[in-house]
Amino acid sequence: MIRPPKVELLAPAGNFEKLQVAVDYGADAVYLSDQRFSLRNAADNFTVEEIARAAAYTRQNHARLYVACNIYPRTAEEDEIARYLEELGRIGPDAVIVADPGILMMMRDILPDMPIHLSTQANTTSRKAALFWKRQGVTRINIARELSLEEIQEITSGCDLEIEAFVHGSICIAYSGRCLLSNFLAGRDGNRGLCCHPCRSRYFLSEEHRPGQYLPVEETERGTFVFNSRDLCMVDHLDKMIGAGIAALKIEGRMKSIHYLAAVVHTYREALDACCSNPGEFQVKSRWKHTLASLTSRGYSTHFYFGKPGPEAVCNAGINPQPEIVVIAKVLRQTGPGQCLVQVKNKLFSHDPVEILSPRQPIRFDTILQINDTDGAPLDFAQPNTVVTVTLSQNGHPNDLIRRAKPGHGI
């Protein structure tokens, strides 16, 4: 099997700010889409001009850019998709992600030299299927999420395609994400990027002769989330994923916050580097697990990687709405020793104890010594969506995230 020189960490980019954060915090590659032809239309997404800007940024920072064009289109959209692929050819991303055979055929005709990555929506579950897609010109497959690591290894050992697999993030309850629930209930097709996520709602049982009387399927205080799968987290098992021959580890989350993205990429970058440097001695650090546990999630599971998941893979409590760690500002630039121009995300106060999350560095602890407005006037506090200067005892750097520290929660 042809293996890449290093296992790739692949991160989502829902807009240009998130792309910068993903690259700066250690992603080897990012995936994004324009505003028309992907499965995350609720994300900000990119215009064609912004994709060109993204391509320039990733090239400048030695990262790779993959553009998703993975909807299942209608015939009336073919001409528009053809024009879009021609535009992508002029921009030159490192690959285009597709799911539909028709778009794949158009790719081969319009962009014969462009690498093609196959979406998980194509639900590739066997070695023969992988070899079929290779004959169609596919260079990488995002493998079906219903496979165990043992089954993935059977595929990687039998073909010289790159295999990509999800390592962290939300998991759709439906087979390979091909869900009709949103379309049925709300007329919003999840297979065309319009999912309203009804699987995350509470459900009750209703009997036809007792209209208006709703019975919980299970007796719990919060109702029953029968479709609500836990999030995926494989930070404990990176050595096993690498051992299975997986070439790229994909983080889900184009619609997540910049803090979520920065914290997850930061954690997996450190963990993956530790694992690749000495896979046989890989040990999970408590700070990795603490960071991931502090983020908004539905609880974590390994899902299918170690066998068919049971009830433990379903979240019966809904989403955790209040993460322990709150971002209060993002550093825009350093303006002097210890002084940073910041964009305020949540209300911050002078003398706040803070944690500073920096790209590719350990988390640092500090205190906001002073706040000044853009005219230099001192402030006792700053409101969200404003730009101010803060003074710290240490220097900051662009895209550093300043988080409110909680007693006893140092990592």
Side-chain angles (χ1 to χ4, degrees):
M1 187 187 97
I2 297 174
R3 292 281 298 277
K6 93 183 221 189
V7 177
E8 178 184 272
L9 183 61
L10 174 58
N15 56 35
F16 193 81
E17 180 185 32
K18 294 176 183 178
L19 178 136
Q20 289 179 306
V21 166
V23 171
D24 288 0
Y25 277 81
D28 299 304
V30 292
Y31 63 98
L32 55 79
S33 68
D34 91 324
Q35 298 169 342
R36 297 165 291 174
F37 304 120
S38 86
L39 299 183
R40 290 294 182 272
N41 287 356
D44 293 342
N45 289 324
F46 290 71
T47 63
V48 171
E49 292 75 19
E50 289 169 336
I51 294 175
R53 183 184 172 204
Y57 187 86
T58 52
R59 281 193 290 267
Q60 180 183 351
N61 289 276
H62 310 291
R64 293 175 287 279
L65 176 68
Y66 309 143
V67 178
C69 184
N70 58 341
I71 65 163
Y72 288 95
R74 306 295 192 265
T75 301
E77 295 171 306
E78 290 176 358
D79 290 344
E80 186 179 6
I81 291 173
R83 289 191 293 271
Y84 174 57
L85 294 177
E86 290 170 353
E87 291 171 330
L88 290 183
R90 289 188 284 272
I91 294 170
D94 294 282
V96 176
I97 304 168
V98 306
D100 178 71
I103 295 180
L104 191 154
M105 185 170 63
M106 295 168 69
M107 279 281 304
R108 293 175 60 186
D109 291 341
I110 297 171
L111 301 173
D113 298 322
M114 177 72 68
I116 301 172
H117 292 183
L118 192 69
S119 169
T120 191
Q121 285 241 318
N123 56 282
T124 306
T125 57
S126 70
R127 183 188 307 163
K128 288 293 187 184
L131 292 172
F132 167 82
W133 289 116
K134 181 187 176 185
R135 290 183 183 178
Q136 310 313 308
V138 169
T139 57
R140 177 188 289 188
I141 292 176
N142 183 252
I143 207 71
R145 292 175 291 192
E146 294 75 28
L147 296 183
S148 67
L149 287 177
E150 182 179 354
E151 290 172 317
I152 292 173
Q153 188 164 15
E154 290 173 349
I155 295 173
T156 60
S157 63
C159 67
D160 58 359
L161 279 166
E162 289 186 356
I163 298 299
E164 172 186 298
F166 283 98
V167 71
H168 193 93
S170 297
I171 293 292
C172 179
I173 198 68
Y175 186 72
S176 286
R178 299 173 72 168
C179 183
L180 299 176
L181 191 59
S182 175
N183 201 355
F184 179 76
L185 294 177
R188 292 172 51 179
D189 192 345
N191 299 310
R192 292 176 59 77
L194 300 173
C195 185
C196 64
H197 304 290
C199 60
R200 308 304 185 190
S201 300
R202 290 187 297 172
Y203 285 88
F204 296 87
L205 184 64
S206 177
E207 199 269 323
E208 63 175 331
H209 298 298
R210 287 181 283 179
Q213 184 175 350
Y214 302 102
L215 306 173
V217 182
E218 293 179 354
E219 193 66 39
T220 66
E221 293 181 357
R222 295 172 180 253
T224 300
F225 296 81
V226 292
F227 303 118
N228 193 28
S229 59
R230 289 181 180 270
D231 291 355
L232 175 68
C233 178
M234 288 292 286
V235 73
D236 290 13
H237 308 290
L238 297 186
D239 53 342
K240 299 178 183 67
M241 296 188 76
I242 294 171
I246 296 169
L249 305 179
K250 186 172 186 176
I251 296 167
E252 182 277 336
R254 274 186 279 168
M255 295 171 61
K256 299 289 177 64
S257 69
I258 59 167
H259 174 235
Y260 178 96
L261 180 62
V264 172
V265 172
H266 185 275
T267 298
Y268 277 92
R269 175 76 279 155
E270 185 178 343
L272 184 57
D273 287 348
C275 185
C276 289
S277 65
N278 194 356
E281 301 295 328
F282 178 62
Q283 293 185 336
V284 178
K285 295 187 183 334
S286 60
R287 67 173 178 269
W288 302 340
K289 300 187 77 166
H290 174 88
T291 295
L292 298 176
S294 73
L295 300 172
T296 299
S297 76
R298 297 176 177 86
Y300 291 125
S301 169
T302 58
H303 287 281
F304 288 87
Y305 280 125
F306 299 103
K308 186 177 179 180
E312 75 283 350
V314 177
C315 175
N316 285 317
I319 194 168
N320 167 24
Q322 186 60 47
E324 295 180 5
I325 301 175
V326 176
V327 170
I328 54 178
K330 185 183 83 165
V331 175
L332 300 177
R333 65 176 183 272
Q334 184 177 336
T335 58
Q339 293 184 334
C340 301
L341 189 70
V342 305
Q343 183 180 33
V344 182
K345 300 291 186 179
N346 284 283
K347 192 172 184 178
L348 61 86
F349 295 85
S350 182
H351 306 300
D352 265 349
V354 295
E355 300 172 351
I356 302 174
L357 181 64
S358 298
R360 302 173 190 262
Q361 295 182 31
I363 292 170
R364 298 172 286 148
F365 295 89
D366 210 319
T367 301
I368 296 179
L369 303 175
Q370 186 173 323
I371 307 171
N372 297 86
D373 67 17
T374 52
D375 295 322
L379 301 170
D380 293 327
F381 60 88
Q383 297 284 7
N385 302 315
T386 61
V387 174
V388 300
T389 297
V390 299
T391 302
L392 305 165
S393 64
Q394 310 169 61
N395 289 333
H397 307 91
N399 285 332
D400 281 359
L401 295 181
I402 301 174
R403 316 190 303 195
R404 184 172 290 114
K406 289 193 175 186
H409 286 198
I411 54 178

